[in-house]
Amino acid sequence: MKRTMTLNLTEAEMNAVEQMCEQKGLSKTALVRQSLRLYKSLDDRLSLGDKVFIESADRAEKAELMVL
């Protein structure tokens, strides 16, 4: 079953959504769904006490991803 919701975004937030949709070739709905799946995956790992890191591909640099 699909449900509908209304989402109010600031101008900057909507610009970010539209830019990402264009770059990824996704609809706004597809982008939000993909974003929710990613956030859920991260939240599940963090809830288990895991840490999430982002590692630079071209440098030996690693940073912990902090989710509020």
Side-chain angles (χ1 to χ4, degrees), residues 4-15 17 28 32:
T4 301
M5 73 175 223
T6 300
L7 181 63
N8 296 311
L9 300 175
T10 65
E11 185 74 21
E13 292 165 339
M14 183 57 84
N15 288 341
V17 167
K28 290 174 187 165
V32 170

Side-chain angles (χ1 to χ4, degrees), residues 13-59:
E13 292 165 339
M14 183 57 84
N15 288 341
V17 167
E18 290 170 343
Q19 181 181 16
M20 291 179 70
C21 286
E22 187 174 320
Q23 290 172 345
K24 304 286 184 191
L26 297 172
S27 68
K28 290 174 187 165
T29 299
L31 181 74
V32 170
R33 286 180 177 152
Q34 185 176 1
S35 299
L36 287 170
R37 285 192 301 271
L38 175 60
Y39 189 88
K40 176 76 171 112
S41 175
L42 290 171
D43 191 55
D44 288 347
R45 297 296 298 259
L46 293 169
S47 294
L48 295 172
D50 291 347
K51 293 184 179 181
V52 179
F53 291 90
I54 296 176
E55 187 173 358
S56 176
D58 59 346
R59 297 183 308 274

